[in-house]
Amino acid sequence: MKPYEKYPIHLFNSISGEKEKFESQVPGFVGMYVCGPTVYNYVHLGNTRTFLTFDILARYFRFLGYKVRYVRNITDVGHLEGDVDDGEDKIGKKARLEQLEPMEIVKRYTEDFHTVMRQFNILPPSIEPSATGHIVEQIGITKKLIDLGLAYEVNGSVYFDVKKYNQSHHYGILSGRNIEDLMESGRDLDSQDEKREKIDFALWKKASPQHLMRWPSPWGDGFPGWHIECTVMSTKYLGETFDLHGGGMDLKFPHHECEIAQATAANGKSPVRYWVHSNMLTVNGQKMSKSLGNSFLPSELFSGNHPLLQKGFGPMTVRFFMLQSHYSSTLDFSNEALLAAEKGFKKLSNALTIIKNMSAPTAASGQPEKEKKLQDLITDCYLHMSDDFNTAKTLAVLFEMATQINTWNAQKELLGEISADAFEAFKHAYCAFMEDVLGLKEEKSVNNDLLEGTIQVLIGLRKAVRADRNFALSDKIRDDLKAIGIQLKDGKDGVMGYEIEN
Ligand SMILES: [Zn+2]
């Protein structure tokens, strides 16, 4: 029996509005697509939460024995300002402002994105296709939609005919929006005289003479609309119907609604079996936004160089902090919450180090009730993760496990109550759920490399003066560091560690 059969996943499907048992289309294989970043600016923390959510999904599917093909795209053309059809292309605008080639912008911010993903231990997808690499396919599906009578060309641009689509399908099936309301409330925009209805959306846009990113098409020089790229790339790598599509809550409408309409119209079938949306990050109760001055770049978080932060926090502390709430809840970010998360993560991380170095008991059998308690904790980790990827509840179990590890560490004789096998199973589960499933690893440095280096110099100095039996100076180094919040810890074997006090 595969682990995914033993601990079947139930997840909240945004399109049905219900928690459903996850059954993959092909047994043992999961195909998932996640809308990636638009690479025109530095990735901020809100984006990071979305990608962390789907990192957890991919990791847990794999952990349960599924083979996963995870496709996450790079949007490098077609995403317009304000998500409307007559906004300026976000990448083109940045290129114009910085007097760079659009592809220079794309390269710079794609690299930044990858760096941040690595810092947070968010694993790369199996395929990372880009919109500009799939222009031919986007033109192909646009032609097909025109042939099917569900898209029309006006002045070199092509629009999807939402009203016509809605005659035989349901536009609004995902977001719950009502098409009549949408047609009424659409904003009046200059380009709208081109469209038959306000809710129609661009599949292809004619490029003005000054537009930098342009490709030849049957309708003249232009560029693809934003929604069509995801339909093309998900279909190409995962098939016309695939298991799971994810993204931030803000993409539900119009982006994902439009994806469903295009794909259903073109292929005659619904593209996605399970839709998963992750919720927003707020700061001190407010939406994170540049204009409110409360948006965070990961680098500001690590250095502490931000008016809302008292100090810097390591990426693993932030990862842990985000995993403390379920992906579908809003998560409020504050200096205090991070300070608490730092303490919590340290407890789990210390227990990880302890159990890795702990010598296992040798007995072939142990006390059944003790071993059952350990086994129940392991089972709970699976059950919580299989219940819509509940990282918050899984962490709560890991805290109980950490307490057990600390008890063994303090009273080694208690290890005699359990068998070698029970210990190994427990150790394996703790390490695997921490590292493989939740992606939490030891925080290398709490602040930055410079601080870490400085503390190490002082630790070395203190060791040297102790070796010279100059205990007065040794104590002064310890006390002075303590006065500024760095507590040195003398280990049994003379190894010194430190802790930064909150
Ligand atoms: Zn998308």
Side-chain angles (χ1 to χ4, degrees):
M1 201 184 208
K2 297 268 189 193
Y4 59 77
E5 291 163 333
K6 194 170 174 194
Y7 303 105
I9 293 173
H10 288 76
L11 54 76
F12 183 81
N13 191 351
S14 308
I15 202 161
S16 68
E18 282 170 13
K19 204 186 268 187
E20 297 173 16
K21 184 177 179 193
F22 176 79
E23 281 175 286
S24 64
Q25 193 169 225
V26 179
F29 176 87
V30 175
M32 62 185 264
Y33 184 90
V34 171
C35 295
T38 301
V39 283
Y40 73 106
N41 213 335
Y42 294 111
V43 57
H44 69 70
L45 220 54
N47 310 127
T48 308
R49 184 183 187 204
T50 302
F51 300 121
L52 171 61
T53 295
F54 296 101
D55 182 49
I56 294 291
L57 264 65
R59 281 171 180 269
Y60 190 60
F61 280 130
R62 289 197 177 106
F63 186 69
L64 287 190
Y66 284 109
K67 249 191 153 156
V68 179
R69 182 179 295 161
Y70 175 14
V71 182
R72 188 185 66 206
N73 70 304
I74 294 281
T75 295
D76 55 358
V77 69
H79 194 171
L80 307 184
E81 287 284 333
D83 296 352
V84 292
D85 285 337
D86 65 348
E88 190 174 357
D89 185 289
K90 290 185 177 187
I91 288 158
K93 180 181 178 186
K94 188 87 172 184
R96 180 171 60 73
L97 293 175
E98 297 196 13
Q99 296 192 311
L100 292 170
E101 271 294 318
M103 282 299 125
E104 287 180 280
I105 298 292
V106 165
K107 182 158 193 307
R108 176 191 296 171
Y109 295 112
T110 303
E111 280 179 6
D112 168 71
F113 172 68
H114 286 154
T115 303
V116 170
M117 293 301 102
R118 266 195 306 277
Q119 285 168 325
F120 283 107
N121 201 21
I122 293 172
L123 299 176
S126 333
I127 305 177
E128 194 171 45
S130 69
T132 56
H134 297 77
I135 300 289
V136 174
E137 291 90 338
Q138 294 181 75
I139 292 173
I141 189 173
T142 302
K143 269 200 230 162
K144 187 173 178 183
L145 290 168
I146 294 176
D147 293 346
L148 287 166
L150 286 160
Y152 55 91
E153 188 219 332
V154 191
N155 301 327
S157 293
V158 181
Y159 298 98
F160 187 85
D161 192 335
V162 173
K163 200 172 160 191
K164 184 142 185 223
Y165 169 79
N166 196 57
Q167 286 166 2
S168 48
H169 297 87
H170 177 192
Y171 184 81
I173 189 170
L174 175 68
S175 59
R177 308 238 182 161
N178 178 291
I179 186 165
E180 275 80 31
D181 295 347
L182 289 167
M183 290 200 296
E184 281 309 308
S185 64
R187 276 178 293 168
D188 285 316
L189 299 164
D190 291 344
S191 72
Q192 262 173 6
D193 38 343
E194 269 192 9
K195 297 187 198 177
R196 290 181 189 162
E197 290 290 342
K198 290 170 185 173
I199 46 167
D200 293 350
F201 57 89
L203 299 168
W204 186 262
K205 284 291 285 180
K206 180 193 174 117
S208 61
Q210 65 273 24
H211 197 92
L212 294 167
M213 304 179 86
R214 55 202 304 134
W215 289 265
S217 81
W219 318 286
D221 273 10
F223 57 95
W226 173 35
H227 316 303
I228 196 73
E229 64 170 270
C230 287
T231 293
V232 154
M233 291 185 272
S234 56
T235 308
K236 178 162 179 171
Y237 300 108
L238 298 170
E240 291 178 355
T241 299
F242 55 95
D243 292 311
L244 190 147
H245 192 315
M249 205 76 103
D250 53 333
L251 295 183
K252 225 182 201 180
F253 188 86
H255 187 56
H256 291 159
E257 198 69 63
C258 295
E259 275 189 49
I260 293 174
Q262 295 160 165
T264 308
N267 303 322
K269 53 182 95 156
S270 180
V272 177
R273 304 172 71 236
Y274 302 91
W275 283 91
V276 177
H277 291 95
S278 67
N279 214 325
M280 303 287 117
L281 198 58
T282 56
V283 182
N284 297 321
Q286 277 184 310
K287 184 179 189 287
M288 185 182 280
S289 96
K290 274 219 174 80
S291 55
L292 291 172
N294 66 0
S295 82
F296 281 81
L297 293 178
S299 58
E300 293 169 328
L301 192 65
F302 304 152
S303 66
N305 187 15
H306 190 285
L308 294 175
L309 292 181
Q310 215 179 322
K311 66 189 224 29
F313 295 92
M316 284 304 110
T317 296
V318 181
R319 186 174 172 113
F320 167 84
F321 163 72
M322 291 187 184
L323 295 178
Q324 278 180 305
S325 27
H326 189 255
Y327 71 82
S328 66
S329 329
T330 54
L331 172 60
D332 194 47
F333 190 83
S334 68
N335 187 67
E336 287 64 37
L338 281 172
L339 287 170
E342 194 171 57
K343 270 193 181 156
F345 175 61
K346 208 167 279 173
K347 180 174 179 189
L348 293 184
S349 166
N350 287 344
L352 189 65
T353 311
I354 292 170
I355 196 154
K356 278 185 177 174
N357 297 313
M358 194 173 266
S359 9
T362 49
S365 65
Q367 297 176 18
E369 74 280 11
K370 299 274 181 212
E371 295 192 349
K372 182 179 180 304
K373 205 183 138 222
L374 300 182
Q375 184 53 50
D376 286 349
L377 290 168
I378 299 171
T379 306
D380 283 349
C381 287
Y382 280 97
L383 295 179
H384 290 318
M385 282 305 291
S386 285
D387 182 14
D388 204 14
F389 310 94
N390 199 324
T391 54
K393 286 190 173 167
T394 307
L395 281 170
V397 180
L398 289 173
F399 273 111
E400 283 187 57
M401 293 173 90
T403 301
Q404 175 65 70
I405 292 167
N406 289 332
T407 306
W408 284 332
N409 194 39
Q411 297 166 266
K412 298 269 184 330
E413 67 280 4
L414 293 180
L415 279 167
E417 297 174 345
I418 56 164
S419 69
D421 285 353
F423 177 82
E424 284 306 331
F426 184 88
K427 175 180 173 178
H428 175 260
Y430 187 77
C431 297
F433 274 94
M434 278 289 284
E435 297 179 311
D436 302 337
V437 176
L438 299 182
L440 294 166
K441 54 182 187 181
E442 204 186 327
E443 192 86 89
K444 284 281 173 277
S445 150
V446 284
N447 226 320
N448 58 41
D449 292 342
L450 198 60
L451 174 63
E452 169 73 17
T454 310
I455 295 175
Q456 290 308 331
V457 167
L458 287 165
I459 288 176
L461 195 63
R462 182 155 173 268
K463 274 184 185 164
V465 300
R466 273 159 75 98
D468 287 337
R469 307 190 66 76
N470 186 347
F471 295 115
L473 185 53
S474 155
D475 289 349
K476 181 172 163 49
I477 294 172
R478 184 196 62 207
D479 296 343
D480 288 358
L481 282 172
K482 187 163 170 45
I484 58 165
I486 299 169
Q487 190 172 7
L488 294 186
K489 305 217 154 192
D490 295 337
K492 280 195 291 278
D493 44 1
V495 179
M496 278 184 244
Y498 68 91
E499 218 173 272
I500 299 202
E501 294 170 351
N502 299 321

